Amino acid sequence: LCVKLLLTTALSEGEYLEESWTVVLQCVSHLARLLMVATGGQTDELFFSDTASVSSEHGGAGGARQAAFLRRASSLKSGRDGGAPGGSDAFTKLFMGVSRAESARLVEEANGELLSRDIDSTLIDRVFSASTALSGGSVLHFVSSLCEVSMQEIHASLAAYRGVKEGSLSAHPSSNSASESPTASPRVFSMQKLVEVADLNMSVRGRMEWSHIWALLANHFSVVGLTDNQALCMFAIDSLKQLSIKFLQKEELSNFNFQRLFLKPFEKIMSRARSADTKDLILRCLHAMIQSCAANIHSGWRSMLSVFGAAAAQDNAEVARLAFEIVEQLVTQRYALLVGDFVHLMNCLNS
């Protein structure tokens, strides 16, 4: 009853929730997780595991299954090697009972099943789709709160991820580590919803109103794109690419610089990222934008040329070579589109 009332209030009184959206969206995030557990859906753990690269190599559901297989194999191996006191074989576990993590998981499954009987999952989707009906001030509160909840999910998850990667989490079943806390489980739920909210509001908001929304989103994606987790960085950059392509399909009015502002996160990530894979992905994303939206790009060329110039100044030869090839192709095939930004083009080539 309380959950239903919360969702109903969010849908009917969202215009007046302001900072209270943070609490509401935290509850929505937890509710979505419980419903996911109840239905046996795939969790976001793949984004925070070292086996995430397996999924990208094999692609799609097959890669996810392969990653899950490797995780199970790794856990079985650690059990045979005696990770827990006295060994972790099945005979020992029979007398030790369930661990805290297993107990918490069972409770979550039970709670999820109870909620799934009474809560329609479409109500969660309606909370986010209803953002298009909010006023300019209210939607900023909504997006800001959603960014805050997303960072809470990511920070808790990265803490657990770093602990596992550095071997700092205890294997003892009575440990109070983040890996055994259900609230510290890896999540990208809110970040996925940010992409959906941005996609829905892009076409219904005025350009000035949208620029305020994008300022919040751009900062969030830039921060996520510079995290230590490679899979999470890739997810953030790919989300930026999808939104950017859709935005660039709209004609930019003269004397406006919205495209340049929209592409700023790519500049920020390129200049600060340490991973060559991240930089390579940014260049390929920009190349995809040029291939599909070149005729509509105006002020965006400055941001793109800044990214290419920053890439050319990198120590990594492959990244610099890829940037040069893209710029060379631009000059030979689309020079007429760059005439207005000739100075920036020369600065890029000098880099």
Side-chain angles (χ1 to χ4, degrees):
L1 181 61
C2 292
V3 175
K4 282 185 177 179
L5 181 60
L6 175 71
L7 295 176
T8 303
T9 301
L11 290 170
S12 62
E13 308 298 330
E15 184 68 25
Y16 313 105
L17 288 179
E18 298 185 350
E19 289 83 3
S20 298
W21 269 118
T22 301
V23 178
V24 172
L25 293 173
Q26 285 173 338
C27 294
V28 169
S29 174
H30 292 311
L31 174 61
R33 178 170 55 82
L34 290 173
L35 293 178
M36 180 73 73
V37 170
T39 57
Q42 185 177 353
T43 66
D44 300 331
E45 182 184 1
L46 188 61
F47 283 99
F48 298 88
S49 68
D50 289 334
T51 54
S53 58
V54 175
S55 178
S56 62
E57 290 173 5
H58 293 270
R65 287 193 294 270
Q66 178 76 355
F69 171 79
L70 290 178
R71 285 196 297 273
R72 289 196 298 270
S74 177
S75 63
L76 289 174
K77 182 179 184 300
S78 63
R80 288 195 301 270
D81 293 342
S88 297
D89 54 26
F91 186 76
T92 304
K93 287 184 177 180
L94 179 64
F95 293 96
M96 290 176 65
V98 297
S99 67
R100 270 188 175 183
E102 290 171 335
S103 178
R105 179 179 57 79
L106 291 173
V107 171
E108 280 199 337
E109 289 179 355
N111 289 336
E113 289 178 4
L114 289 174
L115 287 170
S116 64
R117 296 174 189 171
D118 299 321
I119 303 296
D120 186 356
S121 60
T122 59
L123 285 175
I124 295 177
D125 295 329
R126 287 177 57 194
V127 170
F128 299 99
S129 61
S131 64
T132 56
L134 297 175
S135 65
S138 296
V139 75
L140 288 179
H141 284 298
F142 179 84
V143 172
S144 177
S145 296
L146 188 54
C147 289
E148 183 179 345
V149 175
S150 176
M151 290 308 300
Q152 290 172 1
E153 294 175 352
I154 291 169
H155 282 156
S157 303
L158 285 175
Y161 167 76
R162 292 192 188 100
V164 171
K165 196 170 183 180
E166 296 168 6
S168 61
L169 297 183
S170 171
H172 196 281
S174 62
S175 169
N176 290 323
S177 67
S179 64
E180 294 192 274
S181 171
T183 59
S185 57
R187 303 295 310 284
V188 290
F189 169 80
S190 294
M191 190 159 67
Q192 290 172 323
K193 292 303 177 183
L194 277 172
V195 177
E196 293 180 20
V197 169
D199 185 45
L200 290 169
N201 282 270
M202 188 185 301
S203 57
V204 300
R205 301 285 174 181
R207 294 177 185 270
M208 293 303 298
E209 195 173 70
W210 169 251
S211 67
H212 296 309
I213 296 173
W214 182 247
L216 297 172
L217 295 172
N219 180 67
H220 181 75
F221 284 118
S222 297
V223 172
V224 177
L226 291 168
T227 56
D228 295 334
N229 184 277
Q230 192 62 33
L232 190 58
C233 292
M234 298 290 187
F235 183 87
I237 294 170
D238 186 66
S239 299
L240 278 171
K241 183 198 75 172
Q242 295 176 40
L243 293 173
S244 296
I245 288 178
K246 181 169 182 178
F247 184 76
L248 291 174
Q249 289 172 350
K250 300 170 63 175
E251 186 68 28
E252 185 178 49
L253 300 178
S254 59
N255 300 321
F256 280 85
N257 293 309
F258 288 132
Q259 291 181 354
R260 185 181 178 187
L261 295 175
F262 204 99
L263 298 175
K264 273 289 183 182
F266 291 104
E267 288 187 61
K268 186 175 181 180
I269 297 173
M270 174 61 77
S271 62
R272 300 184 184 181
R274 292 176 292 180
S275 169
D277 290 337
T278 299
K279 297 171 183 177
D280 181 86
L281 179 62
I282 290 175
L283 293 176
R284 295 186 186 281
C285 286
L286 293 184
H287 187 246
M289 292 178 213
I290 292 170
Q291 296 288 17
S292 59
C293 309
N296 284 345
I297 301 177
H298 299 292
S299 65
W301 286 122
R302 293 189 182 183
S303 291
M304 288 189 172
L305 292 172
S306 295
V307 172
F308 297 142
Q314 300 294 321
D315 295 333
N316 189 290
E318 292 298 323
V319 171
R321 185 180 298 110
L322 178 59
F324 179 78
E325 289 174 356
I326 296 174
V327 174
E328 183 182 34
Q329 190 179 79
L330 268 176
V331 172
T332 56
Q333 298 179 7
R334 306 178 191 272
Y335 178 74
L337 300 175
L338 301 172
V339 172
D341 296 289
F342 182 79
V343 174
H344 295 88
L345 175 61
M346 291 299 102
N347 291 335
C348 175
L349 291 174
N350 287 334
S351 299

